[in-house]
């Protein structure tokens, strides 16, 4: 009889844990900046910063991670850090995007758009779980390290992808 009670109680406990919503323990912070605002929010290990000049727009968010965005000369920058990752973007014109997801993930995007009248420069870096991704228009590089990273610079056509099966790069 005790064995049957133990099985019924265990089944009820597992069923309840799967059907009832769990309490979220993630800390979320968001920062936005326009017209020269510099905003920083820190909550424990989670943080964000968004800074801009009078023409730029910056948005950043931390979801148990750190997000950073800086926009000048009309740039629209986005930086997101989640689950222990860091996403940092800076742009002097153009649209830089950086997303870091997972413990020790780091994504960096830094671009300069020399001629805003001919179209906007777009660059994206995304890193997961201990990987690194970087786009730098000043150095003309894209870098992908680790097992889950992606970087792309639309202005130069350069891109890279790192997976558990290898690394691929398109360097025009």
């Amino acid at each position: 009889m005790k064995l049957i009670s133990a099985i019924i109680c265990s089944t009820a406990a597992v069923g309840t844990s799967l059907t009832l919503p769990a309490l979220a323990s993630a800390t979320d912070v968001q920062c936005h900046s326009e017209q020269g605002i510099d905003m920083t929010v820190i909550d424990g290990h989670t943080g964000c910063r968004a800074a801009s000049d009078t023409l730029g727009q910056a948005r950043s968010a931390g979801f148990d991670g750190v997000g950073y965005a800086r926009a000048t000369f009309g740039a629209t920058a986005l930086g997101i850090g989640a689950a222990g990752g860091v996403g940092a973007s800076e742009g002097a014109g153009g649209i830089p995007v950086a997303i870091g997801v997972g413990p020790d993930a780091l994504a960096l995007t830094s671009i300069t758009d020399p001629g805003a009248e001919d179209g906007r420069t777009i660059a994206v870096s995304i890193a997961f779980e201990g990987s690194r991704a970087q786009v730098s228009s000043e150095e003309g590089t894209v870098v992908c390290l680790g097992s889950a990273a992606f970087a792309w610079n639309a202005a130069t056509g350069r891109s890279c992808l790192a997976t558990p099966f290898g690394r691929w790069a398109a360097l025009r």
Side-chain angles (χ1 to χ4, degrees), residues 149-168:
F150 171 74
W152 171 62
N153 186 341
T156 63
R158 293 182 179 195
S159 63
C160 62
L161 174 66
T163 71
F165 306 107
R167 183 181 175 275
W168 292 271

Side-chain angles (χ1 to χ4, degrees), residues 38-165:
D38 190 338
M39 179 180 193
T40 302
V41 177
I42 298 173
D43 186 357
H45 294 288
T46 303
C48 67
R49 179 177 181 208
S52 68
D53 64 3
T54 56
L55 300 175
Q57 295 181 353
R59 303 277 187 269
S60 65
F63 304 101
D64 274 349
V66 177
Y68 169 80
R70 179 169 164 71
T72 58
F73 298 112
T76 301
L78 175 66
I80 298 173
V86 175
S89 68
E90 289 187 316
I95 303 173
V97 177
I99 302 170
V101 179
D104 199 31
L106 179 62
L108 301 171
T109 303
S110 177
I111 63 171
T112 302
D113 188 359
E117 67 278 350
D118 64 353
R120 297 176 65 90
T121 300
I122 299 172
V124 177
S125 62
I126 303 171
F128 294 95
E129 295 280 339
S131 297
R132 306 286 188 265
Q134 179 179 2
V135 175
S136 174
S137 67
E138 188 172 308
E139 297 173 5
T141 59
V142 293
V143 177
C144 295
L145 302 172
S147 62
F150 171 74
W152 171 62
N153 186 341
T156 63
R158 293 182 179 195
S159 63
C160 62
L161 174 66
T163 71
F165 306 107

Side-chain angles (χ1 to χ4, degrees), residues 1-12:
M1 190 65 172
K2 286 186 180 186
L3 178 61
I4 294 173
S5 295
I7 292 171
I8 291 173
C9 288
S10 298
T11 304

